Amino acid sequence: DLEDRCPSYDTLNKKIQAYTLAIYNPSAFLREGAKGKYEVLAGKQIAAFTQVRREHFLIGMMKVNFLKRLESSVNSFKVSMDRTVKKIDEVLKRIEKYEQRPEPQVKIAFDDFEPPENERDETGEDDEAWTVGKKEYELADIKLGEWKVALIKDREQLNELFLLANGVGPKQDAKLFELKKLIMDKVLKPYNGDNRKVLVFTAFSDTAKYIYDNLLDFAKHEVKLNIALVTGSETKTTFGHNDFNSILTNFSPRSKERNKRENMKQDGQVDLLIASDCISEGQNLQDCDFLVNYDIHWNPVRIIQRFGRID
């Protein structure tokens, strides 16, 4: 039944690759006489990298990003589909408003369409690729009728994917179930003494929050562990203070020398930490001896850095 409701990764990949993603390609709908305005990026004379080519590569990056988020969790993929549909709706409303009352020089900012930071990985390694060549378009320069047709088609296709992903909740999430099994096995059969610590890494904050929310009751009632979340934008914990440094210290009290910090509780600790790559380097968490890559970062060096956090 689940396979009937949710297509395979390969099927979704083919669907995504077939989409035009016209919201990221307004230059394809420019009026003939207006194309010259947009042939260079932000006033820079880079002959090999015009705005047209910039948009072409951005669409490719978006499609890869959608698949990386699907690979991370169905929830993150669903969030991306929902946000993109809402962006298309917003652009369609702005076009409709303009058509009702056309005014010269009304512009639409191209960077309004780009994915928010929490849809990208948190290392910031690809930020320059996302932001190069920002440009505003005058709506009078665009063939709005053709653009609207393409936007509406994309909206229908992306909404279909959203509905498919929405049919897979935590109870149907085999990947989440496998993570629970790994944690349970580690708790029942520790590798070193009574060490029950588990560090789970993901590239996306949306996935980290999803894992934390759906492991909260499991951690509290089934494996009796304190759990914490650390991303670049949010921290949560069931033990101790809620700030970044306190969570990491309570997760690795020996390596972080918690006994020298009189303002912190010395009894009890965090044993299950869900984290994004904001802590994948520069942190000593060597009280832990078990790490799970919930997804694989696009940069293999980042995977090596993740493993370097633990013993």
Side-chain angles (χ1 to χ4, degrees), residues 2 6 12 28 38 51 78 86 100 103-104 115 133-135 149 151 160 193 197 250 262 284 287 292 308-309:
L2 183 59
C6 187
L12 288 172
Y38 306 95
Q51 181 69 15
K78 177 179 70 176
K86 287 177 179 175
Q100 291 173 352
E103 295 181 12
K134 293 183 179 180
K135 183 171 281 290
V149 170
L151 288 170
E160 178 190 358
K197 293 192 180 296
N250 284 322
E262 296 179 359
N284 182 358
D287 289 27
V292 178
R309 298 315 97 224

Side-chain angles (χ1 to χ4, degrees), residues 54 58 61-62 65 114-115 120 126-132:
R54 179 268 195 278
L58 178 62
M61 288 175 63
M62 285 303 309
N65 201 50
E114 294 173 2
R120 313 173 204 170
D126 57 355
D127 282 354
E128 186 176 351
W130 287 114
T131 58
V132 64

Side-chain angles (χ1 to χ4, degrees), residues 23 33 51 54 59 64 107 112 147 150 154 172 179 200 216-217 222 268 281-282 291 296 299 302:
I23 192 172
Q51 181 69 15
R54 179 268 195 278
I59 290 170
V64 170
K107 297 180 180 180
D112 287 348
W147 197 26
D154 276 345
Q172 296 84 32
L179 177 61
V200 181
L216 201 55
D217 287 342
E222 296 188 45
E281 59 179 315
L291 183 147
I296 300 299
N299 183 352
R302 186 62 57 182

Side-chain angles (χ1 to χ4, degrees), residues 34-297:
K35 291 182 178 180
K37 290 185 188 178
Y38 306 95
E39 285 182 352
V40 294
L41 291 175
K44 297 178 182 178
Q45 298 291 332
I46 307 175
F49 199 54
T50 63
Q51 181 69 15
V52 172
R53 287 177 63 81
R54 179 268 195 278
E55 291 173 16
H56 169 76
F57 289 123
L58 178 62
I59 290 170
M61 288 175 63
M62 285 303 309
K63 291 179 178 180
V64 170
N65 201 50
F66 286 161
L67 290 170
K68 290 300 290 182
R69 286 174 66 78
L70 173 61
E71 195 176 63
S72 179
S73 67
V74 176
N75 181 73
S76 285
F77 179 73
K78 177 179 70 176
V79 168
S80 284
M81 296 300 100
D82 186 43
R83 286 176 179 155
T84 307
V85 167
K86 287 177 179 175
K87 282 177 189 249
I88 293 174
D89 285 341
E90 178 61 28
V91 172
L92 287 170
K93 286 178 183 177
R94 291 165 74 175
I95 292 173
E96 184 178 340
K97 183 179 178 181
Y98 172 80
E99 287 179 326
Q100 291 173 352
R101 189 177 177 181
E103 295 181 12
Q105 308 303 315
V106 172
K107 297 180 180 180
I108 189 166
F110 183 75
D111 55 318
D112 287 348
F113 315 147
E114 294 173 2
E117 290 185 5
N118 56 347
E119 280 201 35
R120 313 173 204 170
D121 72 75
E122 292 196 336
T123 61
E125 294 172 17
D126 57 355
D127 282 354
E128 186 176 351
W130 287 114
T131 58
V132 64
K134 293 183 179 180
K135 183 171 281 290
E136 290 183 328
Y137 283 86
E138 294 181 18
L139 289 180
D141 292 336
I142 299 175
K143 293 180 278 188
L144 296 179
E146 293 181 19
W147 197 26
K148 280 170 61 178
V149 170
L151 288 170
I152 291 169
K153 183 178 179 181
D154 276 345
R155 188 199 183 285
E156 292 172 351
Q157 293 171 324
L158 293 169
N159 194 55
E160 178 190 358
L161 291 183
F162 168 78
L163 294 173
L164 286 169
N166 203 40
V168 182
K171 291 182 179 179
Q172 296 84 32
D173 192 338
K175 190 174 183 180
L176 185 65
F177 176 83
E178 184 67 19
L179 177 61
K180 289 181 178 179
K181 184 176 179 294
L182 287 171
I183 295 168
M184 180 68 80
D185 290 346
K186 172 64 160 59
V187 169
L188 294 176
K189 296 179 181 179
Y191 306 132
N192 297 289
D194 61 351
N195 189 332
R196 304 189 299 167
K197 293 192 180 296
V198 178
L199 174 57
V200 181
F201 268 116
T202 172
F204 300 103
S205 60
D206 288 324
T207 297
K209 293 170 188 175
Y210 169 76
I211 297 170
Y212 177 88
D213 290 343
N214 287 287
L215 289 187
L216 201 55
D217 287 342
F218 168 80
K220 182 178 180 180
H221 300 295
E222 296 188 45
V223 290
K224 312 296 183 186
L225 300 179
N226 284 308
I227 182 173
L229 167 74
V230 173
T231 72
S233 59
E234 186 174 2
T235 54
K236 294 181 181 178
T237 185
T238 59
F239 176 84
H241 295 299
N242 196 30
D243 63 282
F244 180 91
N245 288 324
S246 293
I247 288 174
L248 297 186
T249 300
N250 284 322
F251 179 69
S252 193
R254 186 178 68 251
S255 67
K256 293 284 191 181
E257 298 183 326
R258 185 178 68 178
N259 60 337
K260 295 181 180 180
R261 298 179 62 175
E262 296 179 359
N263 63 328
M264 295 192 67
K265 293 171 64 175
Q266 298 298 316
D267 55 326
Q269 53 192 295
V270 173
D271 282 315
L272 177 54
L273 178 60
I274 316 300
S276 67
D277 284 292
C278 68
I279 65 162
S280 63
E281 59 179 315
Q283 293 293 336
N284 182 358
L285 304 175
Q286 300 222 349
D287 289 27
C288 181
D289 61 353
F290 186 63
L291 183 147
V292 178
N293 287 299
Y294 201 75
D295 50 40
I296 300 299
H297 196 277

